[in-house]
Amino acid sequence: MNSKHQYVELSDGYFIPALGFGTYKPEEIPNSNTIEATKIAIEAGFHHIDCAYFYQVEEEVGLAIRSKIADGTVKREDIFYTTKLWNTFHRPELVQSCLERSLKKLGFDYVDLYLIHSPLSMKPGEEIFPCDENGKFIYDTVDLCAIWEAMEKCKDAGLAKSIGVSNFNRRQLEMILNKPGLRYKPVCNQVECHVYHNQKKLLDFCKSKDIVLVAYGALGTQRIKKWVDQSSPVLLDDPVLGALAKKHKRSPALIALRYQVQRGVVVLAQSLKENEIKENIQVFDFELTSEDMKDLDGLNRNFRYIATESMADHPNYPFADEY
């Protein structure tokens, strides 16, 4: 059991492991693979598991975690588990019900972190992506501050220890931070973040407000056809990452993960392959020099793999702002 964990303190006093295991997967991969991969991750030493209602694998992830608790590998309090409020549950009266659905699937009493998955409210109902007869998404208009107040109630009820947001830009974060009567501020903002889109301005803003930045897509995403342009550059093939991997006798993936850890970013690593999962946990075994960090900073091109352009006409679309 790898016990070398690094933690980042959240503004509410809880601690989040600096490295997390991501559980989103392509639809064509069977859900049973998620059970196996999550078990391997926990055995390898991952204590931070990132999931979401939208991923539709919470039953499998819950099963894997509970089996590792049952066999004595971990206790529930060792695991930091994140789930997310989906876009069709944004109306304040629905916010807690989404979390309750996740808890039921997981077989848990609480989650460690509950995030607003994105600011893009959609029509309530059982459809993950509600569409009209022309295949156009059906949006909903919900005040982000009203959603946040419902999130605060989930924390009050003890169903989530910490609450935060995901895919929010600076302006949207400020709306919540400046909300009259704010009781809990978002502890984190989970966004796409990697060497091609290092989010420096958003990171600096979040640090100034004591909000932790959590990076998804840190290895260039899984390049799922539905979301990612297949002609986009393959992040892990980048020659600068390759050269640093050679220099440190590590994989390009580990260099990309280490870069985030050293910037004070909590980073999610995603893989269904046993060798990769076991390798990713080794991010704390080496250090990049300030020169290395500068070289990696130089790769930034503000490039998003997941720009969700199909929803660019949504009034709360977050990616039109500079950051």
Side-chain angles (χ1 to χ4, degrees), residues 31-49:
N31 282 13
S32 56
N33 291 33
T34 297
I35 303 177
E36 208 36 52
T38 306
K39 284 183 184 175
I40 290 164
I42 294 169
E43 283 162 7
F46 277 94
H47 282 180
H48 170 185
I49 312 289

Side-chain angles (χ1 to χ4, degrees), residues 11-26:
S11 60
D12 60 3
Y14 290 107
F15 287 83
I16 184 170
L19 177 69
F21 180 69
T23 56
Y24 182 64
K25 62 157 195 64

Side-chain angles (χ1 to χ4, degrees), residues 141-187:
T141 313
V142 189
D143 174 24
L144 293 178
C145 290
I147 306 171
W148 187 253
E149 283 172 11
M151 296 288 285
E152 291 181 320
K153 287 179 183 160
C154 292
K155 181 171 164 72
D156 286 337
L159 300 178
K161 289 190 169 180
S162 301
I163 50 175
V165 298
S166 177
N167 297 305
F168 274 47
N169 61 33
R170 190 198 77 176
R171 188 172 45 84
Q172 292 165 332
L173 274 172
E174 281 186 323
M175 276 172 68
I176 291 178
L177 293 171
N178 299 330
K179 185 184 90 62
L182 180 74
R183 292 188 299 120
Y184 308 115
K185 71 178 187 186
V187 297

